[in-house]
Amino acid sequence: MIKGAFQTVLSIIIILFIIAAVSFSGIKISDQNLFDKDELKSESLIYLMSLENHHLSRLIPNYQKTSVVEAVIKFITSINLKDQRSLLISEISGLENYNSTIFVAGRGTDFTNLPIETPPHHEMRNTQSDHDGNHEQKENIQNIEGEGKIYIYHSHNRESFLPVLDGVKNPNLAHDPDKNVTLLGKRLSDNLREKGIQTIVDTTDIYGVLMKRGLKYPSSYNVSREFVQAFLKENDRIQMMFDIHRDARPKKVTTTTINQLSYARLFFVVGVSHPNYEENLKFAKTLNHELEKKYPGISRGVFGKSSKEGNGVYNQDLLAHSVIIEVGGYENNMEELNRTIDALSGVISDYYWQEAKEVQK
């Protein structure tokens, strides 16, 4: 008890010292730093309180062992001495985009090679498709047979790959209205159909809709949400949803070799800015685990993104079995991409039929 009281007094003295030092230096501590509801700050505060009341430690069973000084610094300054990124995030504009949560780290995955999302360059080639962006949804859905159980769509439908774009070498121009990630969605759909699973692939030109409405690229998910909600309203039997993208990392990050064959690596993105994201996360982790068992190294992992780094929801609040899958990067060719889609198809099929068995039981 005496030791705990001493630690508590020491922590209070340190806090007062830091506040005094900041006050005399003229630096302001923002309300956001003091009262941010960020999980790290909450855990730091609970940790300090648990030094006096040990029962509170049960609220943070997974909290890393740390010192009183480290906990105080985390609470006051948002700096985590065990994470160097926190020293720079508040000072360098845009660095907060690298604050993704790595739920499952794939082979070689760390904070130096997190996924990158880039909008189309202003010099991107345009075609007649650009003027047709605001079609009705039913005119943009292809490969529909009966009542589909799996819905595949593309919020960033024009993300493309340099090897399929004639004469294009600039990664910033790896976007195209025709040759793009929708090719992967169609292949995934075709593969699942061959395995007896009805699917619907939505090739709505989301970027075309953005252009027509005068919206910026970050609004892509708001627009795709309109189409997804409208579709789900009339199709209540959908069991899974996949939003297929590609990353903007170079080939050395987005490619691996398995059994002497080259595969585009993929990863899963879970939006954590809605109450039920744990269901999406469980789904993503299961698919990731099964993929890694059969194709070691094919996945870069499972990442969580909040509204601080992007949309933060990604339509995943609409269905428990919903996730973003980013396949390859701008330098991957179709052979590599197709091999990965084929591998993914097998895992999704196994999951689907296993779920069907559980329902029958």
Side-chain angles (χ1 to χ4, degrees):
M1 177 66 75
I2 295 176
K3 181 180 178 182
F6 174 76
Q7 288 178 323
T8 302
V9 171
L10 178 60
S11 65
I12 293 174
I13 292 173
I14 293 173
I15 292 173
L16 293 174
F17 177 79
I18 293 175
I19 293 175
V22 169
S23 299
F24 282 114
S25 67
I27 299 174
K28 295 182 179 179
I29 299 178
S30 69
D31 290 343
Q32 181 180 0
N33 282 339
L34 284 173
F35 303 109
D36 195 329
K37 294 182 181 179
D38 182 86
E39 180 180 358
L40 181 63
K41 296 179 184 298
S42 299
E43 289 185 347
S44 299
L45 179 59
I46 294 173
Y47 172 77
L48 290 173
M49 297 170 63
S50 71
L51 296 176
E52 182 64 26
N53 185 347
H54 297 294
H55 294 290
L56 292 175
S57 62
R58 298 175 183 175
L59 299 176
I60 47 172
N62 298 319
Y63 190 66
Q64 290 182 332
K65 186 176 181 180
T66 187
S67 68
V68 173
V69 173
E70 287 175 331
V72 172
I73 291 175
K74 285 180 185 178
F75 178 67
I76 295 295
T77 68
S78 300
I79 294 175
N80 180 0
L81 297 182
K82 292 184 172 66
D83 186 353
Q84 297 89 336
R85 294 172 304 145
S86 63
L87 295 169
L88 302 174
I89 284 175
S90 62
E91 300 299 325
I92 301 177
S93 178
L95 195 61
E96 66 275 4
N97 293 327
Y98 287 81
N99 201 30
S100 299
T101 300
I102 302 178
F103 286 118
V104 180
R107 184 180 300 172
T109 295
D110 56 36
F111 289 108
T112 67
N113 53 27
L114 291 173
I116 298 177
E117 185 176 286
T118 57
H121 195 269
H122 64 85
E123 296 178 358
M124 187 185 75
R125 295 175 301 165
N126 295 322
T127 70
Q128 184 61 35
S129 300
D130 294 334
H131 305 290
D132 298 334
N134 205 24
H135 288 323
E136 292 296 322
Q137 184 186 14
K138 63 183 181 181
E139 296 175 355
N140 290 276
I141 296 178
Q142 300 174 354
N143 302 324
I144 296 178
E145 295 177 7
E147 295 184 0
K149 299 293 184 65
I150 295 180
Y151 180 63
I152 302 166
Y153 70 106
H154 310 272
S155 293
H156 293 162
N157 64 292
R158 296 197 185 188
E159 290 179 329
S160 189
F161 311 90
L162 292 179
V164 305
L165 302 177
D166 297 335
V168 180
K169 304 297 181 182
N170 185 348
N172 294 325
L173 300 181
H175 294 80
D176 191 87
D178 302 308
K179 301 175 182 178
N180 50 51
V181 291
T182 61
L183 298 175
L184 306 184
K186 292 174 182 176
R187 186 177 182 91
L188 177 59
S189 176
D190 290 342
N191 287 349
L192 292 175
R193 288 172 181 278
E194 291 178 0
K195 299 176 186 297
I197 304 171
Q198 297 174 320
T199 62
I200 295 173
V201 57
D202 184 348
T203 58
T204 300
D205 184 12
I206 299 298
Y207 186 72
V209 177
L210 291 176
M211 293 180 64
K212 189 175 183 68
R213 298 183 185 179
L215 299 174
K216 295 186 180 299
Y217 202 58
S219 296
S220 298
Y221 293 103
N222 295 332
V223 172
S224 68
R225 187 178 183 84
E226 295 177 20
F227 292 102
V228 172
Q229 285 182 311
F231 180 81
L232 291 179
K233 186 176 181 180
E234 298 182 4
N235 298 268
D236 58 1
R237 298 185 65 187
I238 296 298
Q239 298 178 11
M240 303 180 196
M241 293 199 310
F242 300 107
D243 190 357
I244 307 296
H245 296 243
R246 67 110 171 104
D247 193 25
R249 286 287 184 183
K251 191 165 185 175
K252 64 181 181 180
V253 177
T254 65
T255 314
T256 191
T257 300
I258 304 173
N259 296 328
Q260 300 182 330
L261 292 175
S262 185
Y263 286 75
R265 301 187 75 189
L266 56 72
F267 61 88
F268 301 87
V269 176
V270 176
V272 299
S273 292
H274 67 95
N276 300 316
Y277 79 88
E278 291 91 351
E279 296 178 343
N280 307 123
L281 178 58
K282 180 181 178 181
F283 179 53
K285 283 183 174 180
T286 301
L287 294 181
N288 182 80
H289 178 72
E290 294 303 315
L291 263 174
E292 280 294 296
K293 281 202 308 185
K294 296 181 179 180
Y295 303 89
I298 197 172
S299 176
R300 291 167 59 192
V302 180
F303 300 87
K305 290 192 175 185
S306 71
S307 56
K308 295 180 180 179
E309 304 141 68
N311 179 272
V313 178
Y314 307 110
N315 305 322
Q316 293 168 13
D317 59 322
L318 302 176
L319 195 72
H321 290 168
S322 176
V323 69
I324 286 178
I325 305 178
E326 305 232 9
V327 184
Y330 60 85
E331 291 183 305
N332 286 108
N333 59 47
M334 289 309 299
E335 288 79 12
E336 296 163 340
L337 295 163
N338 286 339
R339 288 191 189 106
T340 300
I341 289 295
D342 294 346
L344 177 64
S345 303
V347 168
I348 292 175
S349 174
D350 291 344
Y351 185 98
Y352 176 90
W353 290 118
Q354 182 60 38
E355 287 282 295
K357 289 181 181 178
E358 294 297 326
V359 171
Q360 289 178 355
K361 291 180 182 179

